[in-house]
Amino acid sequence: MKKIMTMAVVACMALAANAQGFFSDVTYVARAGVDVATVTGKFGTEKMDSRIGFYVGGEIQKPIITDGMYVGAGLGLKTKGYKYDKSGIKRDENLTALEIPVNLGYNIRLAEDFKFNVHGGLFIDYALFGKTTGTGMDDVKLGDYTDKTKGLYDKYSKFGWGLAVGGGIWYKQFNLDVNFQFGLNKPAEQPAPVGKLDNKYNQVAVTLGYAF
């Protein structure tokens, strides 16, 4: 028993030492800003309009391979949805989603205090809450999307995933970033004959970040 306990203590100390080494050169970034969201496809014969929301979150950046290159991962809250206001018909979907982005980035030093940054990668998200309102319909909350008495769809997935690409400017510890997200999954199915929709969620986020 003493040997087992000793081995466990040694293993914990080794893990702690490795973790301390891993996080020794990690950069932490807090960011907040504006999210412009929409969906691809059409409502009837017309395209949907974008809606303006928010983005708030944080990320870590770990240097790898060569000077300026890093791998990043984060956690954030963002807006998803769309607006539609054409031909006397209005519809507004406003969702709040939790996202996890993972990306590969590169910083290019322009001057002593300035860096240009590019990054790209993947994201997954999960719609937490929200609702759709519209002409001639009651508010339909996200949890009721597939309720047969007041739902919008036969099937609806709260999960989403896709690709992201972006870039920005660093001045000392401050960052202005623009990030484009392109959804790859089709979240909804409607009753026949419409069936599975071609709509995919897209976002553009403009955020200010602070590294510490």
Side-chain angles (χ1 to χ4, degrees):
M1 179 63 70
K2 289 183 178 180
K3 289 183 179 180
I4 295 176
M5 292 181 63
T6 301
M7 292 175 63
V9 170
V10 171
C12 289
M13 292 175 64
L15 288 173
N18 288 333
Q20 185 176 5
F22 177 85
F23 288 104
S24 62
D25 58 351
V26 165
T27 298
Y28 300 87
V29 183
R31 63 175 64 254
V34 177
D35 186 310
V36 182
T38 188
V39 294
T40 62
K42 296 180 179 181
F43 182 75
T45 60
E46 302 285 347
K47 291 184 177 180
M48 271 76 81
D49 298 321
S50 59
R51 62 167 302 106
I52 298 176
F54 70 93
Y55 183 91
V56 60
E59 62 187 277
I60 61 172
Q61 297 179 356
K62 170 74 175 179
I64 59 169
I65 303 175
T66 185
D67 185 40
M69 185 175 290
Y70 67 90
V71 61
L75 186 67
L77 288 174
K78 67 180 182 182
T79 298
K80 296 178 67 172
Y82 64 90
K83 281 187 175 182
Y84 182 90
D85 187 359
K86 295 180 177 71
S87 304
I89 299 175
K90 293 183 179 181
R91 200 159 182 174
D92 185 353
E93 181 183 75
N94 184 9
L95 307 180
T96 297
L98 180 70
E99 75 157 12
I100 300 176
V102 178
N103 59 78
L104 184 67
Y106 192 77
N107 292 312
I108 303 170
R109 188 167 297 279
L110 303 176
E112 183 177 355
D113 294 327
F114 287 91
K115 293 183 294 186
F116 176 69
N117 170 262
V118 291
H119 52 80
L122 307 171
F123 73 89
I124 59 173
D125 62 36
Y126 181 80
L128 298 173
F129 54 86
K131 63 183 179 180
T132 297
T133 60
T135 304
M137 60 181 288
D138 296 328
D139 293 359
V140 181
K141 295 181 180 179
L142 177 63
D144 297 329
Y145 271 16
T146 56
D147 186 308
K148 295 303 179 183
T149 61
K150 51 186 175 181
L152 300 175
Y153 310 108
D154 282 346
K155 295 181 181 179
Y156 183 85
S157 174
K158 297 180 182 180
F159 283 98
W161 60 88
L163 301 175
V165 63
I169 294 289
W170 281 93
Y171 171 68
K172 294 184 177 179
Q173 292 174 283
F174 298 93
N175 171 237
L176 175 64
D177 185 81
V178 181
N179 187 53
F180 300 86
Q181 292 188 341
F182 308 94
L184 296 181
N185 66 308
K186 301 175 183 180
E189 290 186 23
Q190 288 189 329
V194 176
K196 195 160 188 174
L197 300 178
D198 290 331
N199 299 341
K200 302 173 185 177
Y201 289 103
N202 292 338
Q203 286 90 29
V204 180
V206 181
T207 60
L208 290 174
Y210 181 80
F212 56 95

